[in-house]
Amino acid sequence: MINRLKGLLGSVPLYVGLQKALGADRLRYRCLDELGLRDGDTVTLVAGDGDFVPTLTSLKRRGFPVTVMFWSHASRQLRELADEFVDLDPHFGFLTW
């Protein structure tokens, strides 16, 4: 599944501003269409940018539970929208070198 994700999302440009929003929009449709998400699947996003709010809203509307993992400064909207928010701050030493 990870290799499939890399193949699908590796070319999704996530730039600043409008390009970033377009990248998040492409991610939303790729998740739904190409990954073939099924009932019972959970989506985990390791990002904290508010540009992903529409993507998560769409996924939740379709009934997919969403977990967001990021530092404590993640977008407030993203944290509130997620079914579960995992704060990575306590794991900083483990995640960095």
Side-chain angles (χ1 to χ4, degrees):
M1 180 64 144
I2 296 298
N3 287 336
R4 189 169 173 205
L5 271 174
K6 285 180 185 175
L8 290 173
L9 303 179
S11 64
V12 176
L14 294 178
Y15 301 116
V16 183
L18 177 61
Q19 289 178 333
K20 192 170 194 177
L22 291 174
D25 194 51
R26 283 182 59 196
L27 172 65
R28 174 179 15 181
Y29 291 106
R30 282 186 169 207
C31 280
L32 293 173
D33 297 335
E34 296 182 30
L35 288 179
L37 293 174
R38 295 179 293 252
D39 290 343
D41 288 348
T42 298
V43 176
T44 299
L45 175 69
V46 183
D49 197 300
D51 289 341
F52 289 101
V53 167
T55 302
L56 295 191
T57 300
S58 178
L59 290 166
K60 286 185 60 80
R61 197 175 308 132
R62 288 181 163 93
F64 296 105
V66 175
T67 299
V68 174
M69 302 175 83
F70 203 67
W71 312 112
S72 62
H73 65 273
S75 159
R76 180 184 54 78
Q77 282 183 298
L78 209 58
R79 290 191 321 260
E80 291 174 357
L81 183 61
D83 295 298
E84 178 183 15
F85 177 75
V86 178
D87 184 357
L88 296 178
D89 287 358
H91 310 285
F92 182 78
F94 179 75
L95 297 171
T96 61
W97 58 88

